[in-house]
Structure formats: C-alpha cells, structure tokens
Amino acid sequence: SNLRDWGSMPFDGVLGLGFPVLTRTPGPTFLEALNSTGALEKMVFGFYLPKDEPGQLVLGGVDPDHIASDFTWVPVLFEKWWT
C-alpha cells in the first residue's frame, strides 16, 4: 500500500483511540476494551512528543513529569476525528 492512499485504507484508526461512533467494526475500541477490564485509572490518554528524545503514550492518565500547566477541560461538541 502507498501512504498516499491513507484515507481509503480499510481501518478506522491506528490504535483505537477515537470515538466509538467512528468505528467501522462492531465491538469496543482499544481504549474501551482496556477500560472494561479495570486496567485504566481514567478513560483518558495523552501523548508526550518531544523534539529530540523518545516520545510517550500514556493510557489511563498523564505523566506528571510532562505537564507544563493545569488542564482546561472543555466539552466535546462533535464526536469526530481528533488531529
């Protein structure tokens, strides 16, 4: 497959971190499945994407070593793709 054909590939996400309404197959998303087992403290995830060192994906919370300020929570108006 060519990366230019990304939009026509037959999957609905790279890891299942999108909203359940966007899935193309029945069943829980990856995050929903983890949450249903009790493996997550909270139903959240975060990325740490530095420039010159390895990045990090945190499931179920955040890494306090990579927080620059307090969070501001806002409601999601449309369950669409996040970018």
Side-chain angles (χ1 to χ4, degrees):
S1 242
N2 189 322
L3 287 178
R4 288 178 284 173
D5 298 327
W6 180 264
S8 64
M9 292 181 181
F11 55 82
D12 56 358
V14 177
L15 184 62
L17 298 176
F19 291 103
V21 70
L22 301 175
T23 62
R24 294 185 179 189
T25 56
T29 65
F30 174 72
L31 202 61
E32 287 178 313
L34 276 179
N35 192 54
S36 71
T37 68
L40 302 179
E41 184 177 324
K42 296 179 182 177
M43 183 74 161
V44 299
F45 63 90
F47 288 99
Y48 173 63
L49 303 172
K51 184 176 180 179
D52 297 320
E53 59 185 278
Q56 182 182 46
L57 165 62
V58 179
L59 301 171
V62 296
D63 183 342
D65 290 339
H66 302 297
I67 298 173
S69 64
D70 291 334
F71 287 101
T72 300
W73 298 94
V74 296
V76 174
L77 300 177
F78 304 102
E79 292 186 352
K80 299 290 183 183
W81 298 270
W82 59 274
T83 54

